[in-house]
Amino acid sequence: MSSGNTKLSQVLLFPSSGMAHLVPFVRLANALSDRGISISLLTVRPTITAAESSLLSSLPSSLLIDFPLAPLDPSLFPESSDPVTLRWEAIRRSAHLLPSLISTLSPPVSSLIIDITIASAFLPVAVAANIPCFVFFISFASMLALCSVFPFVPRPIGTNINIAGGVLKIPYSSIPPPLRDPNNLFTTQFIENGRALTLANGVIVNTFLALEPELLAAFSAGEVVPEFPPVIALGPLPLEKKQPSSPSPAVRWLDEQPEKSVIYVNFGSCSVLSMEQIRELGAGLEMSGCRFLWVVKTAKVDRDEKAVEIEELLGEGYVKRVEERGLVVRKWVEQDVVLVHRAVAGFLCHSGANSVMEAAAAGLKILAWPRRADQMVIAASVPRSGLGIWPENWACEAEKRIVAAEEIALKVREFMADEKLAKSAAKLRAAATAAVQEGGTSDQSLRYLITKLAQLCLKWRNQLVLPSFSTFGPPVDLCNFKSTQK
Ligand code: UDP
């Protein structure tokens, strides 16, 4: 990533927290700087996860600007609060610090691209400071649709949610579980962010037309929310250019496997299976007889990961029994490299938005097993787009039900043998490739964004004035969580 050539002003990108946010922001930053837009990334350090820290340290330090946090009293929130959601909250409550930071930056900031999770706190600040602000919605258009209508859905939610006259139907069981609790911190943030979206100059989404055609059309027609800002669907964003200097053990192992023989199993950066489910999955993969590369996590935050041996997790003798055809790893793998490896034929995946988009770009079929958050909404797009299958009876995290080894083995075998699915996934890759090629729908969206940002740079240059910042107080205090949360 370079800082581009438009040095008279810059675009400030602000990912909030979590790898699922940082990864697409870095990809977007790359895409913009490749087209001559001068960019910087606002970061909050230390990061919550080691993976974020490692990704940030791979970027030129001159592109990173530290954003200060106002103190946040953690005792206001339940102890069980998700650390990433709490970090979002800390950033949101520090939005008033943005103008003074921006006033010190050179070149001056001509526009902002902020993460959806902090939108309702930062959009009013940007509007008051007269700085154009785009929101980057890092998930799919289906989640964007849910986010934008959710503030207007009667609560408590007790039923399915129909969007744009039924263009998108989200069953109650797929609604992200925290949203069913009106007192959850995530719910409050989600509602406020959804409501604030109309203040944005545009909403960027890492999806493409062939993946969510009806919904993207409904957004354009104003059928999701009237007067909604332009939805800029520019996915799949290009992957990082920098490959690790030496391949990891996982990739070296893949190098030794036959063509299109391996199922890659990874539940993403922050989803964890129970110990019992890990053992059933281990037994299921073994029973399936298929070759597999499996990344096992036992903690939501990688820094909390205990040095538990694989044998301790999966039982004595497991590694030896599967060594001819299975590799279990406990570390982060370079997924962008794994997904396009010639030995990989399928992806058992939690349906994180980035993982699904990366698989679509690679034309790799998915066996979806969503666990939490937006994963059930994303998983629905897997069969819908022909990218893969979703056995809907496989339990998510909240259900606490265990999917048995025999059932996993059977499904994995069927999935790996399914040639028709491999072909339809390859077809989706062709559509993804066409979308980002010159003149494709995503390429046009990226050009639209670049033109807008470049115009804003020019406007800035011609005006040659700095914004007049008024003093912003902290955002209105959100409800008092301590007394309302369980
Ligand atoms: N990822 C990776 N290696 C891993 C786990 C995840 O490179 O071992 C990357 C993955 O490619 C994706 C991001 O981390 O870009 C995870 O985002 P996603 O939306 O898929 O899932 P989440 O983190 O929300 O669970």
Side-chain angles (χ1 to χ4, degrees):
M1 194 192 296
S2 82
S3 57
N5 27 16
T6 331
K7 275 287 178 195
L8 285 169
S9 65
Q10 61 173 323
V11 178
L12 213 51
L13 286 84
F14 198 172
S16 55
S17 176
M19 274 308 260
H21 298 254
L22 185 58
V23 169
F25 258 91
V26 169
R27 289 175 183 161
L28 178 62
N30 270 325
L32 295 179
S33 67
D34 279 355
R35 310 274 183 121
I37 300 286
S38 178
I39 56 104
S40 294
L41 276 184
L42 277 181
T43 55
V44 176
R45 288 181 276 187
T47 56
I48 300 287
T49 63
E52 288 165 273
S53 170
S54 148
L55 176 50
L56 286 177
S57 63
S58 72
L59 304 175
S61 58
S62 58
L63 293 180
L64 307 181
I65 297 172
D66 282 316
F67 183 75
L69 286 188
L72 178 78
D73 179 359
S75 69
L76 287 174
F77 306 95
E79 269 181 38
S80 58
S81 297
D82 178 73
V84 171
T85 314
L86 271 186
R87 172 58 66 85
W88 297 342
E89 191 57 24
I91 300 174
R92 291 162 59 79
R93 288 175 184 233
S94 307
H96 58 290
L97 302 175
L98 183 71
S100 54
L101 172 71
I102 285 185
S103 67
T104 63
L105 298 181
S106 176
V109 175
S110 56
S111 35
L112 289 163
I113 300 180
I114 58 166
D115 195 289
I116 177 59
T117 54
I118 55 175
S120 64
F122 283 78
L123 276 166
V125 173
V127 169
N130 204 17
I131 301 183
C133 185
F134 294 81
V135 170
F136 185 12
F137 194 90
I138 55 93
S139 186
F140 277 32
S142 47
M143 267 311 287
L144 171 61
L146 178 61
C147 183
S148 43
V149 303
F150 200 72
F152 314 106
V153 171
R155 270 176 289 278
I157 323 275
T159 176
N160 306 342
I161 297 179
N162 278 351
I163 297 175
V167 168
L168 178 68
K169 294 181 182 144
I170 303 181
Y172 180 74
S173 55
S174 289
I175 295 171
L179 294 182
R180 299 178 205 157
D181 173 4
N183 299 319
N184 190 294
L185 174 59
F186 176 79
T187 308
T188 310
Q189 294 175 348
F190 196 74
I191 292 170
E192 294 194 351
N193 290 329
R195 199 175 276 134
L197 277 173
T198 48
L199 292 175
N201 289 64
V203 182
I204 303 161
V205 199
N206 186 17
T207 187
F208 57 101
L209 193 62
L211 192 63
E212 301 183 282
E214 289 91 7
L215 195 52
L216 287 171
F219 266 116
S220 300
E223 288 164 8
V224 178
V225 173
E227 321 245 336
F228 201 74
V231 172
I232 307 164
L234 40 63
L237 281 163
L239 306 185
E240 279 76 46
K241 282 174 249 158
K242 247 180 50 185
Q243 300 294 346
S245 43
S246 58
S248 66
V251 172
R252 285 205 301 273
W253 180 82
L254 282 175
D255 287 343
E256 287 159 17
Q257 307 307 312
E259 186 95 7
K260 296 257 167 261
S261 64
V262 173
I263 181 166
Y264 165 58
V265 184
N266 194 337
F267 287 82
S269 67
C270 53
S271 297
V272 176
L273 300 177
S274 67
M275 287 300 167
E276 194 184 351
Q277 187 63 78
I278 288 177
R279 280 190 287 274
E280 289 297 317
L281 176 55
L285 289 171
E286 182 180 3
M287 250 181 243
S288 76
C290 299
R291 289 175 192 272
F292 63 89
L293 166 62
W294 178 21
V295 181
V296 181
K297 272 176 69 74
T298 53
K300 278 191 173 167
V301 174
D302 52 9
R303 294 190 212 273
D304 300 338
E305 198 69 72
K306 305 236 164 32
V308 184
E309 290 299 319
I310 293 166
E311 297 273 294
E312 223 177 297
L313 289 173
L314 298 169
E316 219 175 305
Y318 185 87
V319 174
K320 188 95 200 116
R321 287 200 309 278
V322 301
E323 73 180 353
E324 290 297 311
R325 59 194 165 79
L327 182 70
V328 184
V329 292
R330 299 273 288 126
K331 286 209 161 82
W332 186 263
V333 298
E334 54 274 55
Q335 181 160 297
D336 46 352
V337 178
V338 170
L339 294 181
V340 295
H341 196 284
R342 51 149 199 88
V344 176
F347 184 13
L348 170 49
C349 160
H350 67 309
S351 304
N354 295 289
S355 293
V356 174
M357 190 55 61
E358 289 158 10
L364 187 66
K365 62 184 176 182
I366 284 183
L367 170 52
W369 190 353
R371 304 286 304 160
R372 56 190 286 276
D374 62 352
Q375 294 161 13
M376 280 78 77
V377 176
I378 308 296
S381 64
V382 168
R384 204 165 43 218
S385 63
L387 185 58
I389 53 169
W390 172 23
E392 288 187 44
N393 61 331
W394 283 16
C396 68
E397 197 175 276
E399 285 173 74
K400 310 243 181 296
R401 199 163 41 80
I402 299 297
V403 183
E406 293 74 12
E407 193 176 341
I408 295 172
L410 190 68
K411 191 58 79 188
V412 165
R413 261 200 305 270
E414 273 172 23
F415 168 71
M416 288 299 277
D418 194 335
E419 283 301 322
K420 222 167 122 199
L421 210 53
K423 284 200 181 107
S424 68
K427 225 164 135 187
L428 195 64
R429 177 188 51 203
T433 309
V436 294
Q437 264 165 6
E438 201 173 333
T441 52
S442 294
D443 177 62
Q444 285 177 35
S445 296
L446 181 61
R447 282 167 197 264
Y448 167 87
L449 178 65
I450 304 270
T451 308
K452 283 272 161 214
L453 295 172
Q455 281 168 351
L456 293 166
C457 288
L458 280 175
K459 201 167 142 201
W460 201 255
R461 229 182 287 179
N462 295 340
Q463 283 174 349
L464 284 177
V465 285
L466 288 170
S468 57
F469 294 119
S470 48
T471 314
F472 297 94
V476 183
D477 204 13
L478 299 173
C479 32
N480 104 47
F481 291 100
K482 201 176 185 186
S483 59
T484 55
Q485 293 241 350
K486 288 172 212 138

